[in-house]
Amino acid sequence: MVEAPRPSAFETFTGARSFALKGALLTNASLETLTESSSLEEFVNRLKGTPYAEAVSKLQPPYSARKLELALRERLADVHYSLMKTARDPDLLEVYYLRNIAWNLKIALKAKALERGYEETMTYIDLHSEELAGRRDLIARVLSSKDLQEATALLEGTEFGKDVAKAAAAFATNREPRVFDLYVDHALFSRIAETFAAKKKSYSTGEIATVRDLVSIDVDSYNVLALLRSKLWGVQSSESKGLLILPPFNVSLPRLQRIVNTESVAESLEALEGTYSISWPSGGGEDVIVSALEEGFVQLSKKTARRAFLWQGFTLSTVLALVKLLEFEVQNLAAIAFGVEAGIPPKQILSSLRL
């Protein structure tokens, strides 16, 4: 049996802070109140009574949902980065931090693919997470590149380089810009799976199961959804096989191969029976089914992250779980901002949130 290492002062501080931040997460009732904001000004004023006060106070009116989303993501990056820097064993947290980098990179690459200008693209991007990690120059050069070919060349030698080159080749064939999401996420979740495999022997017996649960949902959901979206977006089956992250966790390789070999999304779902407890609509188009399946994985991830705080102490699992819960919260707040900006009724906004 692997004994848990004695907690360091840094680890105790990081774990205690994770529990404190978890306790400060907005309740469903608070989120509902925010959906009732009559304007973005009122929405911002209400946020000033929450842990997001400093983030939104930096903004000047007139407000926009896009600017608010970027401000909220800045706070997410700040919290994640600070926890990463005080954790006992930060390797997995550092790889998960790449999600912030990947988020911007996907936007930049799709903009290049669609030949959008620099000024327009920058309205969707904030480079704060790159600045914290010392990676601002690379993404800035990608944004300033003359075209997709040059942007792809700039990324050679990075953890995203090979997958971005494959994405660019796929885009040249099917002209579907969302293939960049598939390939950038492949690079990201491959690193997450590799880091977990390399580090799992260093985790205590108490934390390994929960860390595995959190990572496995991410990797398995990526594998399944990448294969299904490949079907929808015209990616050849020979290419979609290259998107698989191996070895998988709870959705075995034979099941994944069945998904590759089926012709429709509906047939593919049979391969998931007996893996994760996720329901999906019996009717509707294939896009609807895939979106419902994605939402099912999200809810499982959220439930697993919440459960980490019930059973674990000041361990990596609670820090990673906290980061995930903050990501979900930021997604909900951004959705509320866009809903308020568009004048959508509060109940309709509320129904779209991941609670």
Side-chain angles (χ1 to χ4, degrees):
M1 180 178 292
V2 179
E3 295 183 359
R6 183 181 298 276
S8 65
F10 273 143
E11 184 180 8
T12 301
F13 169 77
T14 304
R17 185 162 178 244
S18 296
F19 272 83
L21 287 166
K22 198 273 183 181
L25 290 172
L26 302 182
T27 65
N28 289 352
S30 296
L31 292 173
E32 183 173 5
T33 299
L34 289 169
T35 67
E36 296 168 353
S37 303
S38 59
S39 64
L40 286 181
E41 287 74 14
E42 184 176 349
F43 175 72
V44 169
N45 284 335
R46 289 178 173 180
L47 276 181
K48 288 180 179 178
T50 74
Y52 294 92
E54 183 178 352
V56 298
S57 294
K58 297 177 183 177
L59 300 176
Q60 298 296 321
Y63 302 114
S64 72
R66 184 70 61 194
K67 289 180 181 179
L68 282 165
E69 180 184 31
L70 296 179
L72 296 170
R73 291 190 63 83
E74 276 198 18
R75 194 249 178 180
L76 173 63
D78 283 336
V79 173
H80 189 156
Y81 189 79
S82 64
L83 290 170
M84 184 174 78
K85 287 303 177 183
T86 57
R88 168 179 56 85
D89 197 349
D91 290 19
L92 194 59
L93 290 172
E94 288 174 353
V95 179
Y96 264 97
Y97 186 81
L98 287 176
R99 294 181 76 157
N100 299 295
I101 311 295
W103 193 80
N104 282 335
L105 183 59
K106 287 185 281 189
I107 293 173
L109 291 170
K110 286 184 284 187
K112 289 299 172 186
L114 297 173
E115 299 182 354
R116 290 178 177 163
Y118 177 84
E119 294 299 330
E120 180 184 0
T121 305
M122 285 304 298
T123 62
Y124 294 87
I125 286 179
D126 179 273
L127 298 180
H128 183 67
S129 56
E130 286 82 359
E131 290 169 355
L132 290 175
R135 300 187 58 157
R136 189 184 190 283
D137 287 349
L138 178 61
I139 189 67
R141 289 168 62 198
V142 170
L143 288 164
S144 301
S145 60
K146 64 180 180 180
D147 55 26
L148 179 60
Q149 183 178 358
E150 184 178 324
T152 302
L154 286 169
L155 291 165
E156 288 182 8
T158 71
E159 61 272 85
F160 298 106
K162 292 181 179 178
D163 281 290
V164 168
K166 292 177 182 178
F171 176 75
T173 300
N174 61 25
R175 310 307 294 177
E176 172 52 73
R178 289 175 292 181
V179 296
F180 288 98
D181 294 339
L182 292 181
Y183 283 93
V184 171
D185 280 344
H186 177 264
L188 170 66
F189 289 114
S190 293
R191 285 287 301 275
I192 288 172
E194 290 166 4
T195 303
F196 173 75
K199 299 293 296 184
K200 62 183 179 182
K201 290 184 179 179
S202 68
Y203 302 147
S204 68
T205 303
E207 69 184 335
I208 183 64
T210 304
V211 174
R212 184 192 184 280
D213 286 345
L214 292 167
V215 172
S216 65
I217 293 172
D218 283 341
V219 173
D220 285 338
S221 63
Y222 169 78
N223 277 340
V224 171
L225 295 169
L227 291 180
L228 295 180
R229 289 192 166 120
S230 292
K231 293 179 184 294
L232 298 180
W233 298 344
V235 177
Q236 297 297 318
S237 60
S238 58
E239 295 174 4
S240 65
K241 290 178 183 177
L243 287 168
L244 291 176
I245 297 172
L246 302 175
F249 286 81
N250 301 328
V251 182
S252 66
L253 182 56
R255 289 178 182 271
L256 294 170
Q257 290 172 331
R258 283 176 60 191
I259 295 176
V260 172
N261 295 330
T262 55
E263 294 186 2
S264 69
V265 169
E267 289 180 81
S268 299
L269 296 179
E270 296 176 6
L272 297 179
E273 293 178 0
T275 57
Y276 290 98
S277 298
I278 298 175
S279 60
W280 48 79
S282 56
E286 293 190 325
D287 278 323
V288 173
I289 295 174
V290 174
S291 293
L293 185 60
E294 179 179 30
E295 184 59 28
F297 277 118
V298 166
Q299 292 301 329
L300 280 176
S301 182
K302 196 169 188 178
K303 184 183 298 184
T304 303
R306 286 171 171 163
R307 192 169 60 239
F309 286 90
L310 299 177
W311 304 109
Q312 302 296 320
F314 297 164
T315 65
L316 171 65
S317 57
T318 51
V319 182
L320 180 57
L322 184 277
V323 169
K324 284 182 163 292
L325 292 175
L326 281 173
E327 288 176 349
F328 293 134
E329 182 168 87
V330 166
Q331 290 169 9
N332 280 335
L333 291 173
I336 294 172
F338 282 102
V340 170
E341 184 178 59
I344 297 174
K347 288 185 178 180
Q348 189 175 336
I349 298 174
L350 191 64
S351 67
S352 71
L353 302 185
R354 289 169 166 170
L355 302 178

